Amino acid sequence: MKKLIILPCLFLLFVIISCHKEIKSEKGGIDIISNVYFDASKGLDKMQNFHLSKMNYSGNQLLELVPDLAFPEINKQLYYIKDSLCYSLDSESSNIILSDIFAKQNPLSIWSKKEGAIFSKEWIPNYKNRKNLSDTILFNKKYKRFEINSPWHYSRFYIYPSDTILPYSLYRHAEKDYHGRLERIDSYNKKNDIFVTLQLIPRKNWDSEAQEIFEYNHFIKKRKK
């Protein structure tokens, strides 16, 4: 009798674990875009748009293009990121041999990087006092939501339910709690009357600059075998 009870329980446990198995995305890109609205209580006319980062990944390798905030069509900086280490690359060259960069350059920790995408181990401020909201549809995608309200700030977080994880996350701890990807944060600074949206936009394709570097290094690696 005990065996008959234990076996279904073990099967149910296996199913639950399988449903929450994380799948790593092998190839693609991530754009990080922010809109800043000044004097937000008076309307949304005074706005500035910032393309903060264009990230491209292949397996566990990450190439980040950092656009010039004043001229987004120009890349200000190019980084190669792997294993929590960050290497600065020549943004004007596509014939970059990544193995040579490792040998010649002292890397920077991703936690110290100040430009482009910011990597942080910190939790969302006041996270324990969050309040769950009803799901919503935004840009034809269904999101889970929660909000954090304080005397000085109000923030709303949008998480897209998914088992596929990306090599970059705004706040990984929230993604684990809600079983999805944090793709948008709306924040309102009550004191300064500034409203900020921060969007993480996944895509399937690489930027042309990153594609040239990835493919060139794949060719070099294949030729050495």
Side-chain angles (χ1 to χ4, degrees):
M1 184 66 181
K2 288 184 178 179
K3 289 184 178 179
L4 293 176
I5 296 174
I6 291 172
L7 287 175
C9 289
L10 289 175
F11 176 75
L12 180 61
L13 180 62
F14 173 78
V15 170
I16 292 172
I17 293 173
S18 299
C19 289
H20 291 99
K21 184 179 179 181
E22 293 182 337
I23 303 168
K24 289 186 178 181
S25 180
E26 289 298 320
K27 173 185 174 182
I30 304 168
D31 289 305
I32 300 180
I33 296 173
S34 179
N35 292 329
V36 182
Y37 300 87
F38 303 93
D39 298 328
S41 63
K42 300 177 182 178
L44 302 178
D45 298 326
K46 297 173 65 175
M47 186 269 284
Q48 281 186 275
N49 175 270
F50 301 100
H51 198 155
L52 302 177
S53 175
K54 297 185 289 184
M55 290 187 283
N56 304 263
Y57 59 92
S58 176
N60 62 347
Q61 302 179 97
L62 188 67
L63 283 172
E64 181 186 16
L65 306 169
V66 181
D68 187 303
L69 295 181
F71 303 97
E73 64 279 4
I74 299 174
N75 293 319
K76 178 182 178 182
Q77 184 65 54
L78 173 60
Y79 291 114
Y80 175 74
I81 300 170
K82 185 179 180 182
D83 299 332
S84 300
L85 298 177
C86 178
Y87 300 81
S88 180
L89 306 181
D90 181 3
S91 60
E92 300 298 323
S93 175
S94 59
N95 296 331
I96 298 171
I97 301 177
L98 296 174
S99 58
D100 290 349
I101 300 296
F102 303 152
K104 297 176 182 178
Q105 188 180 136
N106 290 324
L108 176 74
S109 168
I110 58 171
W111 315 114
S112 302
K113 189 168 74 71
K114 302 300 182 184
E115 291 183 304
I118 301 301
F119 291 77
S120 174
K121 297 179 181 179
E122 299 295 325
W123 278 39
I124 297 170
N126 222 9
Y127 182 68
K128 291 183 178 180
N129 295 323
R130 68 190 184 280
K131 177 184 176 183
N132 289 328
L133 301 171
S134 59
D135 295 350
T136 190
I137 304 294
L138 193 63
F139 306 123
N140 297 319
K141 297 172 73 173
K142 187 176 181 179
Y143 287 96
K144 296 179 181 179
R145 299 184 300 165
F146 65 89
E147 66 179 11
I148 298 175
N149 197 6
S150 74
W152 305 277
H153 291 90
Y154 174 82
S155 298
R156 184 170 288 183
F157 299 79
Y158 298 77
I159 296 179
Y160 177 64
S162 175
D163 292 328
T164 302
I165 62 170
L166 303 177
Y168 175 79
S169 171
L170 295 171
Y171 289 104
R172 185 72 74 190
H173 70 93
E175 294 187 337
K176 289 180 179 179
D177 287 345
Y178 287 87
H179 305 294
R181 293 198 302 264
L182 179 56
E183 293 189 351
R184 181 183 176 106
I185 303 174
D186 292 343
S187 300
Y188 177 60
N189 186 311
K190 300 176 182 179
K191 181 179 178 180
N192 297 322
D193 196 20
I194 297 175
F195 178 70
V196 178
T197 68
L198 182 66
Q199 288 180 264
L200 185 152
I201 305 174
R203 50 184 162 83
K204 295 181 179 180
N205 300 320
W206 292 328
D207 290 298
S208 58
E209 301 94 330
Q211 181 174 346
E212 290 181 11
I213 295 173
F214 278 138
E215 291 181 348
Y216 180 68
N217 278 267
H218 178 73
F219 169 75
I220 294 294
K221 187 176 181 180
K222 190 174 181 180
R223 192 174 65 175
K224 287 181 178 180
K225 290 183 178 180

